[in-house]
Amino acid sequence: MEVTMSVNGDDVSQEIEPRTLLVHFIRDHLGLTGTHWGCDTSNCGTCVVWVDDEPVKSCTTLAAMASGHDVRTVEGMEVDGVLDPVQEGFIQCHGLQCGFCTPGMMLTARALLDRNPDPTDGEIREAISGQICRCTGYSTIVRSIQWAAAKERETPVEVGAS
Amino acid sequence: MTITEPGTQSAEDNTNAVPTPTDNLNDHKPNGFGRMLRKEDPRLVRGRGQFCDDVQVPGMLHLAILRSPMAHARIVSIDKSAAEAHPKVKAVVTGADLAEHNLAWMPTLSNDVQAVLATDKVRFQHQEVAFVVAEDRYSARDALELIDVEYEWLDPVIDVRQALAPDAPVIRDDLEGKTDNHCFDWEAGSKDDTEAVFADARENGIVVTEDIVYPRVHPAPMETCGCVADLDPVSGKLTLWSTTQAPHAHRTVYALVAGLPEHKIRIIAPDIGGGFGNKVPIYPGYVCSIVASLLIGKPVKWMEDRTENLVSTGFARDYIMRGEIAATKEGKIRAIRTEVLADHGAFNGTAAPVKYPAGFFGVFTGSYDIEAAYAHMSAVYTNKAPGGVAYACSFRITEAVYLVERMVDVLAYDLEMDPAELRLQNFIQPEQFPYESKTGWVYDSGDYEPTMRKALDMAGYAELRAEQEEKRSRGELMGIGISFFTEAVGAGPRKDMDILGLGMADGCELRVHPTGKAVVRLSVKTQGQGHETTFAQIIAQEIGIPPDDIDVVHGDTDNTPFGLGTYGSRSTPVSGAAAALVARKVRDKAQIIASGMLEASVADLEYEAGTFRVKGDPEQSVTIQDIAMRAHGAGDLPEGIEGGLEAQICYNPENLTYPFGAYICVVDVDPGTAEVKVRRFVAVDDCGTQINPMIVEGQVHGGLADGVGMALMEMISFDEEGNCLAGSLMDYLIPTAMEVPDWETGHTVTPSPHHPIGAKGIGESATVGSPPAIVNAVVDALKPYGIRHADMPLTPSRVWEAMQGNHTPPI
Ligand code: FES
Ligand code: FES
C-alpha cells in the first residue's frame, strides 16, 4: 500500500507492506535513525515521535495510521541550526548518558512544555513515566526539562516553532 | 575546579551544581579535570548517534533466531524445508549444519562451552535452535514460524537447591564423563580460624545467621544486543559492527572460535545504548551472523527483540547465601562466614578473570576490620539461561556487599544497636591502609568514618530517627536503611587476572598533530559513561591541550590498541591510568624538545598547564602547541630525538582500586497495601580523584535507580517447567521516573595511591551499594512486625506476606 505523510516538514510517499510499523518506516525506509526501538510491549518509549503534535509510541503505530498526518522526529527538533531548548537542557544538565532513550524523552518533554510551560518536578516525572531510561536515574532528565522550561520563560519561544 | 595532584581535589559537593539557563556552562571548559559538558552529546541529542541497528550496509540481509519453547528437551528432528521455500529466505541453518563446520559449540569466557545452535538437546527455554536469513526483518521472522522442530520432553532442573540431588537429570551430558550438575566449588579465607572465632563467640558473644537470596536479575539495557557481520568474500576480511563492551577481547575470541586469522577481523562497537555488563559475553547470535555472512557472501544484520534479550542473554546474581557473623556482645564484629549456592544456568557463561570463578565475591568482609573470614561456594548448572556476571556488579561484589551489609543489620537487630553506630565502630581505620583483608584482598586506601558521617549529616540522621519514632507511635511504617560498601575494581594485575588467557591490561596511544591538536586511541569502549569527554580531560590535565582539541577514538579494533574493554568499572582505573601515563610520556619528550627550543637544560624547565618555562626566567617559555609544530617541523631537534610527538603504552595495574561509599535510604511503607515508597536517598561516594564531577554524579544516579529496581521490582523468575516468566518489560519491571526519588549525592576524595591520577572508578558503586540500603530500610520499617530479614524483590505482595508472618524466599 502507499502511505503519504509529512515527516519533519518534508512530504514523503512510499509503497510499503500494510503491517509496517511506523518505527520501522521511519528508521528503515526513511533512514531517520534517531528514533529508536527498545521493547516489544509499548513499555520503553525509546520510539516516541509526534503525530500531529501528540507524542505517540511509533512501535505501536502502523505507518498506515500516520498516513495523511504530520510526523515529527528528533531530527526535526533543531531548526535552522538552533537547538530546541529541550535539547540544550539535556546537554547542560547531563540528561543523557548512552543517549538511547533521549530522543523519545526529549519529544515527550517538548510536548509537555508546549502545554505546561512551568511544570513541577512531579508533573515532569509523570509526563515521562511511560518511558524508561536505564542510565540516568531520571533526576538529571527532570533537571534538563526544568532548564528548558526556565529558558523558555526567560526568552519565550514560539510554540511549535522550535 | 582544577587540580594537579591527587589529594588536592576539593571535596565540595556537586549536588546543587544544577545549571540554570543564565549560567554559561558551555563556556566552562576546564583544561583538565572539572565539570565539563560532554563531547558526545551534540550528536546524540540530534538523533545522529550511530547505534548498531542504525548500521546499513548495501545488500544487507536480516537474521532471526528460532528458540526452544522448552527448558530441557531432546531434539528429535528439524524440518526446515517450508522455511527454505519462503521466497525471501536466503538460508536456514540448524545446529547440525553448524556441526558440519565444527561451529556448533563455542567457548564461553569461563572456559566452558556453549551451544551456538543446539544439536543434541536444548538446555534452557529460548535456547538458540536454528536461524533464518532473509531479505528483510519481517520475512526472517515469518520464516521462523515455518520451521518444524520435534522435541522430546526431558525433566528440567529448575529448583537450584535440587540441582545436586542424586536423581537430578544431568544437563551437561555434552561434557565427557559428566554425571551431575556440579559446575565448580570455590572457597576463600580460613575455615579453621573462622570456626575457632565462631566457637568462642557462641560461648562468650553472639552469632547471627540469616538465609539471604539475591535473585536473578537482568541488566536490560535500552538497546538490545545485535550486530552486522560483513565478511568480504574477496579479501576474507570480516567487519563486525557489534554491541560489545570489549571489542578487542571479542576479536581474539572470534579468531579462536571461527579459525579466522585475527588480522582479518575488525570489530566496530558503534554507539552503545547501555551495556551494564550485558554486552560483555559473546552470544550465539553474533556467531550465527558471522557464519551467515560467510555462507551467503553478504552482510547480515541480527538484532534481538526485547524478549530475546531478557530470556537468553547474560543475567546477573542468582546466589542463595547463608550469612553468619560472630561478634562480641558489645558489637565488635569478629568473623564473617558464608555458604553460597550459585545458579549458573545451562552453560557457565560468567565473564570473570579465570582464577576468580566467583568473581570478586571474596571481598564479602566489606569495610570492617575482623579476625577471620571464610566463604564456600558451590556453583551448579540448571536449565536456565547462561550468564552470571552482568549488570554493573563489579564481578559479583554486588552479592558480596549485599550479604555483608544485610548481615550487619541483622546483627544490629539482635543486639538492639543503631546500625550506623555498629558500622562506625567496626570500620577499618585510615592508618591500617593498605589493608590486607582476611580473604587476601589488599585495599589500597580508605578513610571511612568521614564519608559515613557526611552521609549521616546530609540525611539528618538523628532527626529521621526521631521522626520514625513518632510515626511508629501512630502506626505508620517508616524505615531508614544504611549501607557502607567497599568495592574492588579495575581488573586487573596481569599476574593474577586474565580472561581466556588474555591479561587484563589496556593500551593507549596518543598522537599530537603539528598544529597542537591531538588524537587519543583507547582500548575501552563507552556505553554511555562519557569516555569521549573524560579521556580528553585526562590528556588535557597532563599535557595542557584543551579537551576540545583532542579527538577520542575507541570501539574500533583496527584503529585502537589492544585491551580488554569496559566492564567491572575498569575504564578509569586501567585505561584512565594508561591515558595519563601515555600523556606523561609525550610530555617528557616535549620537555626535551622544549629544552632545545629554549636553549636550556631539560632539568631547568618547569611545566605547568601546557607550557614549559625556564626556571627563574618565566618569560622564556614555549607551549605544547609550539613544541608540536617543532616536533613535526623542519627545524633542528635535540640530539637523538626523533621527529613527531606521539607515544603508546600498555598499562598493567599493580593492584585493584577500592572505591567506597555510605548510602542512606528512607522509605515509607503503606500499612494497608504494603507498597514501598523510596522517599529519600542520600549517597556519599568516594571514588578518589574525580575527572568530571558531572559524569561521576550521573554514574551514581543511574546505579541508584538500578538499586531501586533490584530491591523492589526486578526479578527473572521461572515456573517449575522452566518457562521464563520475565520475558517482557511488562513482566520484568524496571523503575520509571515515578518509582525513584530525587537523588541526594555528595562525595569525599581519598585518592588511590597507586593510580597515576588517584582515580578509583565509579561506574558500578551505586548499583553495588544501593540494594542493601533499600532493603535495610524496608526491613527497618517492618520492625514493629518483628521482621529481621526479607528477600528482594520487595514487591507489595512480598512485603504484605512478610507483614503477615509468611515471608518466603523468592526462589
Ligand atoms: S519500542 Fe518500546 S515503547 Fe516503543
Ligand atoms: S541515557 Fe541510556 S537509556 Fe537513557
Side-chain angles (χ1 to χ4, degrees), chain A residues 37-39 42-47 57 59:
Chain A
W37 170 90
C39 73
S42 301
N43 288 93
C44 77
T46 60
C47 60
K57 288 180 170 171
C59 70

Side-chain angles (χ1 to χ4, degrees), chain B residues 43-198:
Chain B
R43 71 167 185 276
L44 293 171
V45 300
R46 288 172 170 88
R48 297 176 69 113
Q50 193 191 40
F51 295 90
C52 208
D53 199 19
D54 303 344
V55 174
Q56 294 279 1
V57 187
M60 189 174 78
L61 303 171
H62 292 262
L63 184 145
I65 294 177
L66 181 73
R67 294 172 182 277
S68 161
M70 293 176 202
H72 200 193
R74 193 160 302 286
I75 296 176
V76 179
S77 65
I78 302 181
D79 179 357
K80 58 181 186 173
S81 54
E84 283 174 328
H86 187 290
K88 293 199 168 165
V89 165
K90 300 291 179 194
V92 183
V93 173
T94 65
D97 300 328
L98 288 185
E100 284 174 25
H101 300 92
N102 215 6
L103 289 170
W105 293 82
M106 63 178 187
T108 69
L109 298 179
S110 292
N111 287 325
D112 193 358
V113 290
Q114 171 174 2
V116 177
L117 294 176
T119 46
D120 49 345
K121 62 180 191 177
V122 290
R123 293 175 170 83
F124 66 95
Q125 191 197 30
H126 301 299
Q127 186 180 338
E128 299 80 1
V129 172
F131 69 78
V132 167
V133 183
E135 284 171 25
D136 61 82
R137 46 175 117 218
Y138 290 9
S139 303
R141 282 172 188 270
D142 288 345
L144 294 182
E145 310 275 316
L146 303 174
I147 302 175
D148 193 12
V149 186
E150 189 184 334
Y151 295 97
E152 177 192 319
W153 167 267
L154 298 171
D155 285 336
V157 179
I158 302 304
D159 180 352
V160 60
R161 294 179 180 83
Q162 298 304 317
L164 293 177
D167 58 345
V170 179
I171 299 166
R172 296 301 303 279
D173 46 0
D174 58 296
L175 300 173
E176 220 176 288
K178 192 84 184 139
T179 55
D180 61 20
N181 295 315
H182 180 252
C183 183
F184 65 83
D185 264 50
W186 168 89
E187 62 177 356
S190 165
K191 188 174 181 179
D192 293 344
D193 292 358
T194 306
E195 177 46 37
V197 177
F198 270 88

Side-chain angles (χ1 to χ4, degrees), chain A residues 19 21 24 27-28 37-38 40 43 78 87 92 94 97-98 106 125 134-139 143 147, chain B residues 26 35 38 45-46 53-54 137-138 142 218-219 306-307 391 698 701-702 714 730 735 737 740 742-743:
Chain A
R19 61 174 170 172
L21 296 172
H24 289 139
R27 290 178 48 80
D28 295 349
W37 170 90
D40 320 321
N43 288 93
E78 180 185 15
Q87 292 173 299
Q92 290 285 344
H94 194 28
Q97 291 183 26
C98 76
M106 293 190 307
R125 284 178 184 272
R134 201 61 160 151
C135 299
T136 64
Y138 303 104
S139 283
R143 290 179 200 168
W147 188 98
Chain B
N26 264 326
R35 187 184 202 277
R38 298 199 323 164
V45 300
R46 288 172 170 88
D53 199 19
D54 303 344
R137 46 175 117 218
Y138 290 9
D142 288 345
H218 196 281
R306 175 56 61 190
T307 298
Y391 202 2
H701 282 190
E714 298 176 24
M730 278 206 258
V740 299
D742 197 25
W743 314 109

Side-chain angles (χ1 to χ4, degrees), chain B residues 194 198 324-325 333 335-338 364-365 370 372-374 404:
Chain B
T194 306
F198 270 88
E324 291 177 281
I325 287 183
I333 301 173
I336 304 177
R337 181 160 64 187
T338 183
F364 67 92
T365 57
I370 58 175
Y374 178 70
V404 61

Side-chain angles (χ1 to χ4, degrees), chain B residues 404-444:
Chain B
V404 61
E405 290 306 293
R406 191 75 272 287
M407 285 309 300
V408 169
D409 261 39
V410 167
L411 178 65
Y413 183 99
D414 277 19
L415 288 174
E416 295 179 12
M417 275 184 73
D418 181 277
E421 273 313 308
L422 180 56
R423 285 175 171 83
L424 281 163
Q425 78 180 46
N426 283 286
F427 279 151
I428 301 164
Q429 295 302 304
E431 63 279 4
Q432 290 177 281
F433 291 91
Y435 174 84
E436 182 167 356
S437 81
K438 289 293 179 284
T439 45
W441 299 77
V442 180
Y443 294 21
D444 60 346

